[in-house]
Amino acid sequence: MTEVIIGSRESKLAVLQSEMVKSYIEQKNREENAGSEITVNILTMKTTGDIILDRTLDKVGGKGLFVKELDRALLDGKSNLSVHSLKDMPMEVPKELPLLAFSKREDPRDVLVLPEGVAELDPDKPLGCSSLRRTLQLEKLYPEMEVKSIRGNLQTRLRKLDEGEYSGLILAAAGLKRLGLESRISRYFTPDEMIPSAGQGILAVQGRKGEDYGYLDGYCDRDAWLAGAAERAYVKYLDGGCSSPVAAFAEVDGDEIFIRGLYYSEATGKWLTGQIRGAAEDGEKLGIALAKQLKSDCEGR
């Protein structure tokens, strides 16, 4: 009997995402009837990022705060895997804790959610938004609206919205859809209207170096891996943490990849978007090339 322990944040969405990986491992084991039965359990924990809710992420160390406790559990042997939303993963990943696989991508778009029973935005209340990336792009989409930071898990944010604190929320479609809350979506933003966060809609499975992860064979989605790697290369080149006001979104079509990027210059206060296309296998190089170009254009170099 082999036991696999998956480390997960304790939020409802995080546990559901870990259960998706758990189901894959169990189904694969049943189909292959490998001789040694695998049991899979989920170990939940509250991360520092879940505890500190009174400040924006860029003030308290970025979204790396959502993975520290899960990393420690992996290193200490308390878990065999961690499941993360790729958009919450720091760009620098410890060599001893490699990323093993990316899931097939869920809807990567950002969306507008209105209070229940409401049909349009109330200009007297702010839009709730958790990232500088979204805030920048919202100023162009809704120049008349105030944007106010909101923290907490998805259920907490929706409760604050429905209690009247906000006119609307900007959220990721993926989380809402995975939780069966697609009906709450009032508007989808196209990637040209609002470039998503790097990795949005992709689940990342992280493991421990030197371990046998044969039970994950077949889980990794090729297109998601190529797109996610290109997006992360773009952000990493710009030295952007997950809370930095940069964005990258890649689409893979066969052997071709199309990448959109956003760059914000703190020095000039300007931000630009751009795009690049090329061979899918060169996605990381293309992501870096786009980052270099936008940084040069934005800072006048």
Side-chain angles (χ1 to χ4, degrees), residues 21 25 51 73 81 102 109 143 145 155 184 234 265 273 290 300:
V21 177
I25 296 170
I51 296 168
L81 297 172
F102 292 169
R109 293 174 291 178
M145 297 292 295
Q155 282 74 23
R184 292 299 309 262
Y234 172 94
S265 169
T273 61
L290 179 59

Side-chain angles (χ1 to χ4, degrees), residues 59-170:
K59 300 290 195 302
V60 292
K63 290 189 179 179
L65 295 177
F66 289 125
V67 305
K68 286 200 311 185
E69 285 77 7
L70 296 176
D71 283 359
R72 177 50 56 192
L74 266 179
L75 288 168
D76 292 347
K78 294 178 181 178
S79 63
N80 305 98
L81 297 172
S82 295
V83 176
H84 305 277
S85 293
L86 182 59
K87 69 183 179 67
D88 291 337
M89 292 290 294
M91 295 304 130
E92 296 289 346
V93 176
K95 289 183 179 179
E96 61 269 29
L97 300 177
L99 296 179
L100 305 172
F102 292 169
S103 73
K104 183 176 176 62
R105 192 169 214 162
E106 178 54 275
D107 190 330
R109 293 174 291 178
D110 285 309
V111 298
L112 171 67
V113 177
L114 297 175
E116 283 199 291
V118 174
E120 56 187 42
L121 289 169
D122 179 352
D124 295 326
K125 293 179 181 178
L127 283 170
C129 173
S130 62
S131 74
L132 293 170
R133 169 190 66 83
R134 286 174 175 152
T135 299
L136 286 174
Q137 298 180 92
L138 283 171
E139 289 172 355
K140 188 175 179 180
L141 289 165
Y142 298 104
E144 73 287 357
M145 297 292 295
E146 176 193 358
V147 179
K148 183 179 177 183
S149 176
I150 183 170
R151 294 283 314 283
N153 63 38
L154 190 54
Q155 282 74 23
T156 298
R157 296 185 200 192
L158 289 173
R159 176 180 54 77
K160 290 180 178 180
L161 172 70
D162 292 334
E163 288 176 352
E165 290 185 41
Y166 296 87
S167 176
L169 299 181
I170 311 302

Side-chain angles (χ1 to χ4, degrees), residues 270-291:
K270 290 172 54 181
W271 62 279
L272 293 173
T273 61
Q275 50 193 236
I276 194 170
R277 188 184 299 271
E281 63 184 21
D282 295 331
E284 291 181 70
K285 293 178 183 177
L286 291 165
I288 292 170
L290 179 59

